[in-house]
Amino acid sequence: SSDLTQDPAVSVALGQTVRITCQGDSLRKYFASWYQQKPGQAPLLVIYGKNNRPSGIPDRFSGSSSGNTASLTITGAQAEDEADYYCNSRDSRGDHRRVLFGGGTKLTVL
Amino acid sequence: QVQLQESGPGLVKPSQTLSLTCTVAGGSMSSGGYYWSWIRQHPGKGLEWIGYIYNSESTHYNPSLKSRVTISVDTSKKQFSLKLNSVTAADTAMYYCARGIAARNDAFDIWGQGTMVTVSS
């Protein structure tokens, strides 16, 4: 089990909007980062901080947070967005040095 | 453009030590604010943080692996390394090195391509 909880699978129709969530007590103190991983590839950072995208990440990706829940929203999902998505943050317990990952959400674009 | 590249044996025998190296290309390791990290992924599973080193000497490890893990850095070679002792089949996984960056809320902004390590006799 993970200290950050994600739904195992989510689907979205092509061109529609989908929200992928991540829950955990550490998110009350730390922002989540979000990673996209396609089969056979390394994870790719898509969102960090309050709502920041690294260079090259399409603006259809956005992040938000409320209470113990962080969300990754894809507005107008494309076929190439089909992938696994992982959230991560610092662990707010103990010395705050531990790093947490969510269990991942498999996104299917229909 | 900083790039990371893992290297090391793809097959390790049970009870032996897994040793991997990550080479940093195109950037400096000496600048502060980076967490040079190891992350693994068991086949078909999610990401598991192993640990990181920062400021060239401070390390933090996943409590579940702490007794078996050592991460070290050689800034002159622009490399950091992972040693995992007493491996079992449960350590069979894809191993990634990654750069965590404090300025980006500790996100892992650069990843190596990963190296698959199988533990088997």
Side-chain angles (χ1 to χ4, degrees), chain A residues 17-78:
Chain A
T17 296
V18 63
R19 177 174 292 181
I20 298 169
T21 61
C22 175
Q23 288 189 303
D25 286 341
S26 294
L27 300 179
R28 296 184 184 279
K29 180 174 180 61
Y30 294 107
F31 287 115
S33 300
W34 290 94
Y35 306 86
Q36 176 193 71
Q37 187 180 34
K38 297 181 179 180
Q41 296 184 17
L44 173 70
L45 178 66
V46 295
I47 291 290
Y48 66 92
K50 190 174 183 179
N51 180 20
N52 300 290
R53 286 175 287 106
S55 175
I57 302 302
D59 61 5
R60 63 179 179 270
F61 289 89
S62 63
S64 61
S65 183
S66 178
N68 73 336
T69 301
S71 300
L72 172 70
T73 299
I74 307 174
T75 304
Q78 300 300 302

Side-chain angles (χ1 to χ4, degrees), chain B residues 38-84:
Chain B
W38 289 95
I39 296 160
R40 71 180 183 181
Q41 187 170 34
H42 294 101
K45 302 298 185 182
L47 301 170
E48 179 182 28
W49 172 68
I50 298 171
Y52 60 69
I53 187 166
Y54 67 103
N55 293 339
S56 298
E57 62 182 14
S58 298
T59 53
H60 288 278
Y61 303 128
N62 188 323
S64 69
L65 299 169
K66 186 175 182 179
S67 63
R68 300 194 291 132
V69 173
T70 302
I71 296 175
S72 59
V73 67
D74 186 336
T75 54
S76 65
K77 293 184 178 179
K78 294 177 66 176
Q79 293 178 333
F80 61 105
S81 300
L82 168 70
K83 291 189 185 299
L84 181 64

